[in-house]
Amino acid sequence: MVNREFWRDKRVFLTGHTGFKGSWLSLWLTQLGAKVTGFSLSPSTEPNLFEVCNIESCIEKSIIGDIRNFELLETSMREAKPQIVIHMAAQPLVSESYINPVETYAINVMGTVNLLETIRRVNSENEIKAVVNVTTDKCYENKEWLWGYRENEPLGGYDPYSSSKACSELVTASYRNSFFNPDKYSEHGVAIATARAGNVIGGGDWSQNRLVPDIVRSIIENDPVIVRNPDSIRPWQHVLEPLSGYLLLAEKLYLYGCDYAEAWNFGPNDDDAKTVQWIVERFCSKWDVNQNYQIESNNSFHEAHYLKLDCSKARYKLQWAPKWSLDQSIEKIIEWNSAYMNKENMREICVKQILEYSNGF
């Protein structure tokens, strides 16, 4: 359970706040009473959740900046004086990493270096106590196992995106060992962890080449859904599931320091690891539409067939567990998009779903 009393008036520096996950987290943190400074590029899609919910108006400060711009990042963090840093700024798409691999590595690897080096430089007064670097389930060396990957499994990455996120994990581990070593926690006071989530879905995602946004667009426009890998199995989860994990992890890092300064998985229950085709058919069934889909045989880039996370450590040490089944998650996404099509107040819809999630509905 996310602790409202803990988060009240906490100063949070959130990178990637204009993105899909970052926008949801900005709203949740604000709803908890935290004081959020966001640092990110402008939203990458039109429309986007950041503008649809007017998130800039509800956080303390929104800085439009590039994580690769070290000087601006350092200046912004010094001014914000955060107690907690959550790093979500990234190039998040496998398909884009094939088109722009150099940029993907620059953002996902050097962006992490810049962030951690900034923390090292600005933390002379020990104001920053907790750092969560959000990576991905794809950072593992995928061996197409039928069981879930644990946090101590080898890192890897076939494509530039996955590889860059594995590199981000290694960079974080190196900085933790070299500059924020748990054995010297009493000297530096900073606890750093990484968080690896599954395939995140939810209302307000308009990204290209992502399954659920593609399904929603196709249904709204009455076009066939294009399916690249119908038999691929992914750990699907509503966006609020991993975000709750990040919040719990940040709280533990802040309160208990080095005991939690390590890598963590946040994924769905085992029975919610479903195929792409299952997701398409379930969406159409629950939205009560007779939607066609067609399989794209000329897939230009590699994707893993099977990917699953073992979240035993988070369940045991954080008392974190998924709340919404995949069916419930699909229903919430349909509810969100129906409200958007009816031109309802989408910030209120997001907060409503956050409260429903928090209260177990």
Side-chain angles (χ1 to χ4, degrees):
M1 178 72 71
V2 176
N3 186 345
R4 175 179 292 274
E5 288 305 312
F6 169 81
W7 286 99
R8 182 172 290 124
D9 294 327
K10 285 291 187 300
R11 299 186 304 278
V12 181
F13 193 89
L14 174 62
T15 72
H17 71 295
T18 65
F20 164 58
K21 289 172 69 176
S23 294
W24 273 100
L25 186 54
S26 295
L27 284 173
W28 199 342
L29 285 166
T30 301
Q31 194 269 332
L32 290 169
K35 297 179 178 179
V36 180
T37 296
F39 186 97
S40 179
L41 294 173
S42 298
S44 60
T45 65
E46 181 59 46
N48 57 81
L49 188 61
F50 183 76
E51 293 175 341
V52 164
C53 292
N54 193 17
I55 288 169
E56 184 173 5
S57 69
C58 70
I59 62 176
E60 290 286 305
K61 189 173 185 180
S62 174
I63 301 166
I64 301 301
D66 194 322
I67 197 73
R68 293 167 290 183
N69 185 337
F70 182 84
E71 290 75 17
L72 178 59
L73 180 62
E74 182 177 356
T75 299
S76 300
M77 195 176 293
R78 285 189 185 279
E79 292 176 353
K81 294 181 170 57
Q83 297 161 292
I84 296 169
V85 176
I86 303 177
H87 179 43
M88 299 177 70
Q91 192 297 95
L93 300 174
V94 172
S95 57
E96 179 65 20
S97 77
Y98 278 94
I99 299 169
N100 291 306
V102 173
E103 183 176 65
T104 298
Y105 281 106
I107 295 170
N108 294 351
V109 183
M110 287 309 300
T112 301
V113 172
N114 286 348
L115 182 88
L116 295 173
E117 181 64 15
T118 295
I119 292 168
R120 188 170 79 91
R121 293 193 184 191
V122 307
N123 203 50
S124 58
E125 298 177 6
N126 285 348
E127 292 200 71
I128 300 171
K129 298 189 68 174
V131 181
V132 178
N133 177 20
V134 176
T135 62
T136 177
D137 59 341
K138 297 177 180 62
C139 68
Y140 292 105
E141 180 184 350
N142 195 321
K143 299 180 180 179
E144 302 286 351
W145 285 334
L146 298 179
W147 53 89
Y149 293 89
R150 295 167 296 181
E151 288 87 346
N152 59 354
E153 306 283 5
L155 300 175
Y158 184 102
D159 56 86
Y161 166 74
S162 304
S163 169
S164 71
K165 284 297 194 175
C167 291
S168 179
E169 288 275 352
L170 293 172
V171 166
T172 305
S174 175
Y175 261 78
R176 182 169 52 224
N177 292 334
S178 301
F179 307 112
F180 304 104
N181 195 294
D183 292 339
K184 298 181 179 180
Y185 179 74
S186 61
E187 298 177 19
H188 55 74
V190 183
I192 301 177
T194 56
R196 305 160 181 177
N199 277 44
V200 174
I201 58 177
D205 186 2
W206 281 278
S207 302
Q208 296 292 326
N209 295 316
R210 281 170 59 89
L211 181 63
V212 171
D214 287 348
I215 293 172
V216 172
R217 273 190 294 267
S218 297
I219 290 174
I220 291 173
E221 297 170 7
N222 197 28
D223 290 330
V225 182
I226 305 300
V227 179
R228 292 196 302 269
N229 298 285
D231 298 323
S232 291
I233 297 172
R234 296 286 183 270
W236 312 98
Q237 57 187 157
H238 192 276
V239 62
L240 296 180
E241 302 282 14
L243 295 188
S244 71
Y246 307 160
L247 293 173
L248 281 171
L249 176 56
E251 179 183 339
K252 294 291 188 181
L253 290 166
Y254 188 95
L255 295 175
Y256 304 108
C258 55
D259 290 346
Y260 294 86
E262 51 194 27
W264 299 84
N265 286 340
F266 298 103
N269 291 318
D270 287 352
D271 56 0
D272 279 334
K274 301 291 189 182
T275 67
V276 167
Q277 184 169 338
W278 187 96
I279 293 288
V280 174
E281 293 175 349
R282 202 66 157 196
F283 250 98
C284 295
S285 172
K286 284 187 172 292
W287 212 330
D288 196 24
V289 293
N290 185 21
Q291 196 73 16
N292 294 322
Y293 65 90
Q294 60 189 50
I295 297 172
E296 185 180 84
S297 58
N298 185 26
N299 190 7
S300 59
F301 57 88
H302 170 273
E303 285 195 84
H305 174 71
Y306 196 88
L307 184 57
K308 187 177 175 183
L309 294 174
D310 183 331
C311 303
S312 302
K313 188 171 79 169
R315 289 174 181 272
Y316 177 73
K317 293 188 69 174
L318 297 176
Q319 286 75 57
W320 175 90
K323 289 186 176 182
W324 284 348
S325 68
L326 186 51
D327 269 333
Q328 286 176 290
S329 299
I330 291 172
E331 289 166 3
K332 296 297 183 183
I333 296 170
I334 292 172
E335 174 189 81
W336 195 98
N337 281 283
S338 297
Y340 178 73
M341 292 167 65
N342 290 332
K343 302 186 185 304
E344 296 180 34
N345 184 317
M346 297 316 298
R347 186 195 290 183
E348 290 181 359
I349 297 297
C350 287
V351 171
K352 171 178 172 287
Q353 292 194 346
I354 289 169
L355 293 175
E356 288 172 346
Y357 179 87
S358 300
N359 295 326
F361 296 117

